[in-house]
């Protein structure tokens, strides 16, 4: 949790992917993470809607951080499987303020599962996701 607090407070740098997909940590507690992002035309696919990869990446991140928030120091995780169901498209020409919540469902010694939802700030559901993560001992590089 200290790690997540330091990230939220800007005391630790964002991971490199944060330079491409600017997810902001809005809230965190043990087993629950809330991220926010503004999806604008820079995320459009050739069909003129926000690319589904944004939802997949945002949900995978929120669900993974929900798992991480429950692990003891020195433990880490990697996604084994992530599944996303798209509910509603986000058309171009607008700024979509989105909130992504990841919640731990089950935390075991070797595998943890999580659920996620992406919603517009008005509450409209955009996508849902599930993830399984492998828990592992981290080694220093």
């Amino acid at each position: 949790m200290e790690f997540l607090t330091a990230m939220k407070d800007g005391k630790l740098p964002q991971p490199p992917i944060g330079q491409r997909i600017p997810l902001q940590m809005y809230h965190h507690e043990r087993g629950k993470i809330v991220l926010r992002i503004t999806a604008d035309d820079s995320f459009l696919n050739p069909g003129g809607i926000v690319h589904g990869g944004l939802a997949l990446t945002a949900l995978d991140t929120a669900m993974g951080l929900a798992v991480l928030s429950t692990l003891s120091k020195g433990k880490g995780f990697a996604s084994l499987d992530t599944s996303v169901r798209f509910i509603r498209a986000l058309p171009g020409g607008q700024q979509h303020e989105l909130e992504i919540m990841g919640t731990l469902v089950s935390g075991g010694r070797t595998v943890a599962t999580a659920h996620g939802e992406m919603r517009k700030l008005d509450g409209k559901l955009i996508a849902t996701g599930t993830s399984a993560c492998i828990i592992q001992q981290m080694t220093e590089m």
Side-chain angles (χ1 to χ4, degrees):
M1 289 291 283
E2 293 172 18
F3 171 78
L4 295 173
T5 300
M7 267 182 47
K8 182 177 185 279
D9 294 344
K11 294 178 182 168
L12 285 177
Q14 289 239 343
I17 194 168
Q19 296 172 8
R20 302 276 188 246
I21 301 177
L23 293 163
Q24 299 297 314
M25 190 172 307
Y26 181 72
H27 173 79
H28 68 88
E29 60 190 70
R30 183 175 171 77
K32 182 178 176 182
I33 300 291
V34 180
L35 306 173
R36 286 192 172 171
I37 191 169
T38 301
D40 58 23
D41 285 356
S42 67
F43 293 105
L44 296 185
N45 67 20
I49 60 173
V50 173
H51 195 288
L54 176 64
L56 181 89
T57 301
L59 284 161
D60 183 62
T61 301
M63 293 183 292
L65 289 174
V67 169
L68 181 64
S69 73
T70 66
L71 301 180
S72 59
K73 190 171 186 174
K75 296 280 186 174
F77 75 95
S79 298
L80 288 170
D81 178 77
T82 299
S83 177
V84 172
R85 179 164 306 262
F86 303 103
I87 309 297
R88 178 176 280 114
L90 297 170
Q94 302 174 38
Q95 294 220 359
H96 302 280
E97 301 296 328
L98 303 172
E99 189 167 88
I100 306 95
M101 184 185 324
T103 306
L104 181 76
V105 173
S106 172
R109 275 187 336 184
T110 57
V111 175
T113 59
H115 172 78
E117 292 185 352
M118 173 183 272
R119 293 181 179 271
K120 292 185 80 165
L121 292 186
D122 66 7
K124 288 182 181 167
L125 186 62
I126 304 304
T128 62
T130 57
S131 184
C133 299
I134 187 167
I135 310 303
Q136 50 196 2
Q137 186 68 37
M138 298 302 290
T139 56
E140 293 193 32
M141 299 185 155

